[in-house]
Amino acid sequence: MTGRGVSIALSYVLVTSITVILVGGLIIAGGSFVEDQRDNVVEQELQVIGNQLAGNVEQVDRMVTADPTTTGPGAAAVNETLPERVSGASYTIKMTTDGGDSQLELTATQVDVSVEVALTVDTAVENSSATGGRVDAYYDQAEQELVIADG
Amino acid sequence: MADLNPRGDERGQLVLVGAVVLAVTFIGLAIVVNSAIFSENLATRGDVPGSGEALDYRYEVEQGIGEIVETVNANESRDPTLIENSVENISAQGGLQQARSGRVVSISYVDDEDGNRLAQDTPDVLSANNTKTLATSVSKTRNVQLNFTRNITDGTGSFELIAQESSGSSFWNMTVDPSTSGDNTLRVELNNTAGVTRSGTCEFGSDTPSVDVTGATIDGERCQALVRNGTGEPLWFAADIQGSSDYEIRFENGDEFNGTYSMTMNEGISDFDPNALDNDDNVVYSVTVDLSYSTSAVRYETEIEVAPGEVPP
């Protein structure tokens, strides 16, 4: 007999507790690791998408500034199909201007991640927004402003 | 140690449940990593296909129409239908070529503007008197060329080309300073209504320089002072004046220098140099066309006024 002096019930409780602690720890650590990775990936993806869209807005701005007339071109638009979701989360894009500095603000809806991408444009920017998927960046000749909208 | 569970086939449920939960968690991780790989892929993509080419095509059209303007001006008959037909040709040929790359383009003729060419094509003294007014009430000038045919150090003083605002105090002044002991200097000075003064200089070795004032070259070499100053502000011909008000163009000290000159102004100028023999009031100043460019992802429609050798507005 090697198990003398130890009750079966106590051993059971001890081993079960240790297993619960170990497995629970693994699950908590693994879960938060995956959660952190997801936040990082969402942030990176929003950065990439923001820069892609900023490139399109800046391209439209170049088309507008290439036109020396005061009203600008009759039509200048670039559209691109961006991912509809980032790591399973949908997102919104806002184009805003603040004291001469224009930027795109991308916010994921289900995770608390928001990214700002600066825009380098000479044309005025209209406060406008879009969601993931096909996004149009265009020049509104009547307002003489750059706009983004869902395509 | 005694068995924790007398029935051996039911051992380890906790570990099993934990493993399953962890497995599901890591499947989630795989999805997240996959998503990261996709965003890396997205990051390596360039601009939307065709978006950069829209401006390239605009530039090509400007060059092509510019050639048409030059050719029509060189052709004595100046048949006005020549321009319209040539624009249609460029549109048809360019359209076919671009269609192969999935782009739909078209150019259509809108209008052309008549102009005056002021020139002295035979080398002679640049002006009979010290001051010569070439034209007044000028609103637009393009393709200003000056070729000195006699050694510039043979004259006395400096040669000046001036664009002076008609009803204001703004002026743009280009001075050619000959030097007998080193490189000659071209100096550009600008003084606008806001009281801002800018200047820039270029040095050149030749004593018989050819100055392309609007093209910003001296004997084919770039002269930055005819484009912008050190801080990037405009210094080109009639900068800050052309586009906002009328101006006059004159030579100062032209009687000390020999050479040829030519420039093209829009119609409506008055008092243009009556003594120059090679003036021509029947040239094309500019041509306006409508450009339309579209691909599945890009749309660009604009009106382009092509005036070859015109400085920015």
Side-chain angles (χ1 to χ4, degrees):
Chain A
M1 283 288 284
T2 52
R4 281 177 303 178
V6 182
S7 83
I8 290 171
L10 183 62
S11 290
Y12 189 88
V13 168
L14 278 174
V15 172
T16 308
S17 310
I18 291 166
T19 313
V20 165
I21 289 166
L22 283 176
V23 173
L26 267 176
I27 290 170
I28 291 166
S32 67
F33 172 70
V34 171
E35 194 68 24
D36 288 350
Q37 289 302 309
R38 188 185 184 207
D39 285 359
N40 278 340
V41 166
V42 168
E43 189 177 337
Q44 278 176 26
E45 270 196 89
L46 290 182
Q47 281 279 4
V48 168
I49 292 167
N51 279 299
Q52 288 278 340
L53 186 59
N56 294 348
V57 174
E58 284 165 9
Q59 190 65 50
V60 174
D61 177 59
R62 281 193 283 278
M63 288 178 183
V64 175
T65 49
D67 202 306
T69 59
T70 48
T71 53
V78 175
N79 66 62
E80 185 171 13
T81 304
L82 301 167
E84 292 198 3
R85 290 170 168 272
V86 283
S87 293
S90 56
Y91 62 97
T92 56
I93 309 161
K94 277 186 193 164
M95 185 161 74
T96 53
T97 184
D98 175 25
D101 293 329
S102 306
Q103 66 267 321
L104 291 172
E105 191 183 330
L106 294 94
T107 312
T109 49
Q110 286 148 28
V111 283
D112 187 24
V113 177
S114 183
V115 161
E116 275 192 11
V117 177
L119 287 170
T120 312
V121 289
D122 293 328
T123 314
V125 158
E126 185 178 308
N127 290 339
S128 47
S129 61
T131 51
R134 189 181 140 129
V135 178
D136 274 349
Y138 66 93
Y139 174 65
D140 181 348
Q141 197 189 25
E143 299 290 330
Q144 296 182 24
E145 287 177 327
L146 301 173
V147 186
I148 58 164
D150 288 319
Chain B
M1 193 173 142
D3 280 346
L4 291 177
N5 187 334
R7 290 178 298 165
D9 57 342
E10 288 184 14
R11 284 176 301 178
Q13 293 96 325
L14 263 176
V15 176
L16 191 65
V17 170
V20 169
V21 172
L22 270 177
V24 171
T25 309
F26 287 113
I27 287 171
L29 183 66
I31 293 167
V32 168
V33 170
N34 191 40
S35 188
I37 292 167
F38 178 71
S39 70
E40 295 284 318
N41 169 285
L42 189 68
T44 57
R45 285 188 205 166
D47 287 338
V48 171
S51 61
E53 285 81 354
L55 287 179
D56 291 347
Y57 190 65
R58 180 199 164 100
Y59 179 73
E60 274 177 37
V61 169
E62 278 179 341
Q63 297 299 308
I65 306 285
E67 291 293 325
I68 293 175
V69 172
E70 296 295 345
T71 310
V72 169
N73 283 342
N75 186 332
E76 288 296 318
S77 73
R78 306 255 163 78
D79 181 0
T81 57
L82 262 180
I83 300 175
E84 216 169 327
N85 292 343
S86 305
V87 171
E88 275 174 22
N89 275 344
I90 289 190
S91 180
Q93 288 169 8
L96 190 64
Q97 203 174 22
Q98 296 288 331
R100 292 192 189 111
S101 312
R103 303 170 195 138
V104 181
V105 298
S106 96
I107 315 160
S108 55
Y109 168 86
V110 175
D111 196 9
D112 63 85
E113 187 181 2
D114 290 336
N116 295 283
R117 178 174 181 266
L118 265 61
Q120 174 174 291
D121 292 330
T122 316
D124 201 348
V125 68
L126 286 171
S127 72
N129 303 313
N130 184 269
T131 299
K132 172 157 105 169
T133 302
L134 287 105
T136 59
S137 306
V138 180
S139 58
K140 292 193 281 190
T141 309
R142 66 172 176 85
N143 219 5
V144 181
Q145 313 269 350
L146 269 170
N147 295 307
F148 295 89
T149 51
R150 195 185 65 183
N151 197 327
I152 54 172
T153 54
D154 289 353
T156 310
S158 307
F159 172 81
E160 290 180 59
L161 166 68
I162 297 169
Q164 167 107 42
E165 190 182 11
S166 304
S167 56
S169 55
S170 297
F171 69 86
W172 177 93
N173 186 338
M174 184 194 89
T175 310
V176 176
D177 267 335
S179 168
T180 48
S181 58
D183 279 348
N184 304 306
T185 311
L186 183 142
R187 197 170 69 247
V188 180
E189 285 170 311
L190 179 144
N191 201 328
N192 68 17
T193 37
V196 175
T197 307
R198 291 174 216 141
S199 62
T201 54
C202 292
E203 292 190 341
F204 56 96
S206 168
D207 285 333
T208 53
S210 296
V211 185
D212 183 346
V213 180
T214 45
T217 59
I218 302 172
D219 294 323
E221 298 278 328
R222 181 90 173 153
C223 170
Q224 187 61 23
L226 284 166
V227 187
R228 291 176 189 277
N229 65 2
T231 53
E233 293 162 305
L235 268 186
W236 54 69
F237 179 79
D240 290 10
I241 306 173
Q242 181 153 311
S244 59
S245 58
D246 287 354
Y247 55 94
E248 70 162 42
I249 301 174
R250 66 173 191 270
F251 289 159
E252 294 280 356
N253 213 22
D255 53 346
E256 293 288 336
F257 295 84
N258 277 32
T260 63
Y261 66 84
S262 75
M263 59 191 76
T264 306
M265 286 97 165
N266 63 318
E267 217 170 38
I269 58 169
S270 50
D271 296 338
F272 67 90
D273 177 20
N275 299 319
L277 297 173
D278 304 304
N279 290 349
D280 186 343
D281 60 358
N282 188 28
V283 298
V284 176
Y285 182 80
S286 66
V287 173
T288 307
V289 294
D290 264 339
L291 166 73
S292 161
Y293 174 102
S294 48
T295 70
S296 59
V298 180
R299 201 172 75 256
Y300 187 40
E301 287 165 20
T302 187
E303 196 175 88
I304 314 174
E305 186 186 336
V306 183
E310 192 178 55
V311 293

